[in-house]
Amino acid sequence: MAKIGFIGVGNMGGPMLNNLVKAQHSVSAFDLSDAAKKAAEDAGATLAGSVAEAAKGVDAVVTMLPAGPHVRGVYMGDDGVIGSVDAGTLLIDCSTIDVDSARAAHAAAEAAGLDMLDAPVSGGVGGAEAGSLTFMCGGSDKAFERARPFLERMGKNIVHAGPAGNGQIAKICNNMMLGATMIATAEAFVLAEKLGLDHQTLWNIASTSSGNSWALSNYCPVPGPVPASPANRDYAAGFTAANMLKDLRLAQAAMASARSASPIGGQAAAVFALMEAAGMDDLDFSGIIKLIRGKG
C-alpha cells in the first residue's frame, strides 16, 4: 500500500483520511486544529508536525483546504509541499477554490516536474464518511490515472473534467445549479404551506414530475419526505450554507472574469448572503427555507 501525506483533516478531510486508512494506506496527517489531529490519530494516521513533514517521503499528498490563499501557501510557500516532496510525488488538491489559484498551483508543480490534480468534491460530509464522493478532476491524463486508485477509495464517481483548473470549473458550475435549485425548492414548499398543500403530497407529486431535482429527492428542505435529509435533524449541516455561499461567490468571480451573464446565480448568492447576515450560515444549506419563511 502507498504512503500518503494528508493536509487538512477537518470535517471533510477527516472522513476522507479514514477511508484511506481503511484501505490499508499509511497516512501522515497535518492540520492546524488539535481536535482534527486527534481524530486523525484515533483513525490510525500518524501525525506530522508541519506541512513539510507530512509531504516528505510519501507517494502522494492530498490536501483539503478552505480557500485559494491557503492552497497557494501550503503548496508554494516557504517549507510548502512543492519544495518538500520527493521527486515523483503525486499532488492531489481536493479543496474548492478559485480557478486562478488552482492553475497557479498546477504551474508551480509542473515547473518542479511534479504531477498534480485539482479534484474538488461533491457529496458533503455524508459522502465523505460513506466513501461515495464525486471527484471532479482537472489535470493531465497521467496525473488523473495515477490519482484514480486513491480517489476510488474515497469516492464512487471519479470524473476527468479536462486540463488544470477544470475540476474547479465543474465544481462551481455544479454548485451554482444546486444552490439556485434549493432556493426554488424551498420557495415552492413555503408557498404550498401557505396555500394548504401538505409537504408529503407536494413531494409525492414533484418527485415524480418535472419539478424533480437532486435538491428535492436527496435534500428535501422540509422534514418527513426524505428521512436522510438534514431537515429531519433541525438542519444540522451536511453541507453548510457558508460553504454554499463560498461556492456561489467563486462562481460569480468566475462569471465576471469570463464576461458571462449570471442573473439567477447572482440572486442565489445574494439570498445565501442574507442567510449569512442572519447568523444562520452554520446550518445546512437546505436551511435556506428558514430564511424564506422569515424565521431566523
Side-chain angles (χ1 to χ4, degrees), residues 15 39 48 74 79 98 116 120 124 161 188 224 283 287:
V74 164
D79 297 318
D98 60 286
M116 183 170 187
L283 298 178

PDB file of all heavy atoms in Angstrom, residues 15 39 48 74 79 98 116 120 124 161 188 224 283 287:
ATOM      1  N   PRO A  15     -12.947  12.387   7.367  1.00  0.00           N
ATOM      2  CA  PRO A  15     -13.553  11.148   6.869  1.00  0.00           C
ATOM      3  C   PRO A  15     -12.864  10.602   5.620  1.00  0.00           C
ATOM      4  O   PRO A  15     -12.788   9.385   5.425  1.00  0.00           O
ATOM      5  CB  PRO A  15     -14.997  11.568   6.556  1.00  0.00           C
ATOM      6  CG  PRO A  15     -15.247  12.772   7.387  1.00  0.00           C
ATOM      7  CD  PRO A  15     -13.935  13.475   7.496  1.00  0.00           C
ATOM      8  N   ALA A  39      -8.444  13.313  16.038  1.00  0.00           N
ATOM      9  CA  ALA A  39      -9.351  12.399  15.342  1.00  0.00           C
ATOM     10  C   ALA A  39      -8.604  11.590  14.286  1.00  0.00           C
ATOM     11  O   ALA A  39      -8.863  10.396  14.106  1.00  0.00           O
ATOM     12  CB  ALA A  39     -10.489  13.190  14.700  1.00  0.00           C
ATOM     13  N   ALA A  48       2.010  14.468  11.615  1.00  0.00           N
ATOM     14  CA  ALA A  48       3.178  15.224  11.188  1.00  0.00           C
ATOM     15  C   ALA A  48       3.173  16.569  11.897  1.00  0.00           C
ATOM     16  O   ALA A  48       2.121  17.116  12.214  1.00  0.00           O
ATOM     17  CB  ALA A  48       3.146  15.436   9.682  1.00  0.00           C
ATOM     18  N   VAL A  74       0.167  26.607   1.178  1.00  0.00           N
ATOM     19  CA  VAL A  74       0.573  25.240   1.509  1.00  0.00           C
ATOM     20  C   VAL A  74       1.428  24.640   0.404  1.00  0.00           C
ATOM     21  O   VAL A  74       2.407  23.937   0.680  1.00  0.00           O
ATOM     22  CB  VAL A  74      -0.674  24.361   1.774  1.00  0.00           C
ATOM     23  CG1 VAL A  74      -0.331  22.879   1.737  1.00  0.00           C
ATOM     24  CG2 VAL A  74      -1.266  24.722   3.137  1.00  0.00           C
ATOM     25  N   ASP A  79       8.747  26.201   2.931  1.00  0.00           N
ATOM     26  CA  ASP A  79       8.521  24.870   3.513  1.00  0.00           C
ATOM     27  C   ASP A  79       7.165  24.297   3.095  1.00  0.00           C
ATOM     28  O   ASP A  79       6.534  23.551   3.855  1.00  0.00           O
ATOM     29  CB  ASP A  79       8.606  24.925   5.051  1.00  0.00           C
ATOM     30  CG  ASP A  79       9.991  25.334   5.533  1.00  0.00           C
ATOM     31  OD1 ASP A  79      10.980  24.841   4.951  1.00  0.00           O
ATOM     32  OD2 ASP A  79      10.077  26.138   6.478  1.00  0.00           O
ATOM     33  N   ASP A  98     -10.707  29.148  -6.111  1.00  0.00           N
ATOM     34  CA  ASP A  98     -10.799  29.884  -7.365  1.00  0.00           C
ATOM     35  C   ASP A  98      -9.903  29.236  -8.420  1.00  0.00           C
ATOM     36  O   ASP A  98      -8.864  28.635  -8.112  1.00  0.00           O
ATOM     37  CB  ASP A  98     -10.407  31.344  -7.157  1.00  0.00           C
ATOM     38  CG  ASP A  98      -8.977  31.498  -6.652  1.00  0.00           C
ATOM     39  OD1 ASP A  98      -8.737  31.212  -5.460  1.00  0.00           O
ATOM     40  OD2 ASP A  98      -8.108  31.880  -7.451  1.00  0.00           O
ATOM     41  N   MET A 116       0.144  16.904 -10.878  1.00  0.00           N
ATOM     42  CA  MET A 116      -0.834  17.453  -9.932  1.00  0.00           C
ATOM     43  C   MET A 116      -2.226  17.358 -10.511  1.00  0.00           C
ATOM     44  O   MET A 116      -2.427  17.435 -11.727  1.00  0.00           O
ATOM     45  CB  MET A 116      -0.508  18.911  -9.603  1.00  0.00           C
ATOM     46  CG  MET A 116      -1.443  19.517  -8.563  1.00  0.00           C
ATOM     47  SD  MET A 116      -0.895  21.126  -7.960  1.00  0.00           S
ATOM     48  CE  MET A 116      -2.133  21.367  -6.642  1.00  0.00           C
ATOM     49  N   PRO A 120     -11.746  18.819  -6.661  1.00  0.00           N
ATOM     50  CA  PRO A 120     -12.779  19.171  -5.678  1.00  0.00           C
ATOM     51  C   PRO A 120     -13.883  18.120  -5.660  1.00  0.00           C
ATOM     52  O   PRO A 120     -14.052  17.361  -6.612  1.00  0.00           O
ATOM     53  CB  PRO A 120     -13.299  20.527  -6.185  1.00  0.00           C
ATOM     54  CG  PRO A 120     -12.984  20.538  -7.640  1.00  0.00           C
ATOM     55  CD  PRO A 120     -11.702  19.777  -7.778  1.00  0.00           C
ATOM     56  N   GLY A 124     -20.738  16.200   0.274  1.00  0.00           N
ATOM     57  CA  GLY A 124     -20.838  16.598   1.669  1.00  0.00           C
ATOM     58  C   GLY A 124     -20.174  15.627   2.634  1.00  0.00           C
ATOM     59  O   GLY A 124     -19.525  14.660   2.237  1.00  0.00           O
ATOM     60  N   ALA A 161     -12.384  16.079 -15.848  1.00  0.00           N
ATOM     61  CA  ALA A 161     -13.062  17.204 -16.490  1.00  0.00           C
ATOM     62  C   ALA A 161     -12.182  17.920 -17.513  1.00  0.00           C
ATOM     63  O   ALA A 161     -12.668  18.818 -18.207  1.00  0.00           O
ATOM     64  CB  ALA A 161     -13.526  18.201 -15.429  1.00  0.00           C
ATOM     65  N   ALA A 188     -41.058  26.829  -3.132  1.00  0.00           N
ATOM     66  CA  ALA A 188     -42.251  26.063  -3.502  1.00  0.00           C
ATOM     67  C   ALA A 188     -42.906  25.445  -2.276  1.00  0.00           C
ATOM     68  O   ALA A 188     -44.143  25.451  -2.151  1.00  0.00           O
ATOM     69  CB  ALA A 188     -41.886  24.987  -4.516  1.00  0.00           C
ATOM     70  N   GLY A 224     -39.581  14.890   6.867  1.00  0.00           N
ATOM     71  CA  GLY A 224     -40.559  13.873   6.519  1.00  0.00           C
ATOM     72  C   GLY A 224     -40.328  13.136   5.229  1.00  0.00           C
ATOM     73  O   GLY A 224     -39.986  11.938   5.258  1.00  0.00           O
ATOM     74  N   LEU A 283     -25.882  26.441   9.477  1.00  0.00           N
ATOM     75  CA  LEU A 283     -26.879  25.410   9.187  1.00  0.00           C
ATOM     76  C   LEU A 283     -26.600  24.774   7.834  1.00  0.00           C
ATOM     77  O   LEU A 283     -25.863  25.314   7.010  1.00  0.00           O
ATOM     78  CB  LEU A 283     -28.281  26.015   9.162  1.00  0.00           C
ATOM     79  CG  LEU A 283     -28.810  26.640  10.447  1.00  0.00           C
ATOM     80  CD1 LEU A 283     -30.194  27.236  10.192  1.00  0.00           C
ATOM     81  CD2 LEU A 283     -28.856  25.620  11.569  1.00  0.00           C
ATOM     82  N   GLY A 287     -31.376  24.687   4.924  1.00  0.00           N
ATOM     83  CA  GLY A 287     -31.997  25.543   5.925  1.00  0.00           C
ATOM     84  C   GLY A 287     -32.352  26.918   5.393  1.00  0.00           C
ATOM     85  O   GLY A 287     -32.932  27.735   6.127  1.00  0.00           O
TER      86      GLY A 287
END
